[in-house]
Amino acid sequence: MLTLLMLIFLAMASSAIGLILWREESRWALAVMEAFALALLVTCIITLGNDFVRELQRRFHVK
């Protein structure tokens, strides 16, 4: 599950950076990627419930 979470965070970060740096007219692909990554993150949070916080603490060593 941690690999999926890292992929989701990477997709959200790269699409946010792409939306800021990309100067072209059509940025819809990056917006769709951001929305899809956010939907995946919400799905993971709903599926894992309280285990989501435990997984983040385990991965990032946060208390």
Side-chain angles (χ1 to χ4, degrees):
M1 186 55 81
L2 287 176
T3 306
L4 180 61
L5 287 176
M6 294 304 289
L7 179 65
I8 291 169
F9 289 137
L10 180 67
M12 290 176 66
S14 63
S15 63
I17 291 169
L19 282 172
I20 293 169
L21 297 178
W22 196 342
R23 302 287 182 214
E24 298 295 322
E25 290 291 324
S26 61
R27 295 190 281 179
W28 64 269
L30 294 172
V32 168
M33 186 170 78
E34 178 76 27
F36 186 68
L38 187 61
L40 279 175
L41 181 63
V42 169
T43 304
C44 283
I45 291 171
I46 290 171
T47 303
L48 289 176
N50 290 336
D51 291 334
F52 180 75
V53 175
R54 194 174 308 136
E55 287 289 334
L56 287 179
Q57 288 174 346
R58 199 178 301 157
R59 175 68 176 152
F60 298 111
H61 306 291
V62 185
K63 292 186 180 189

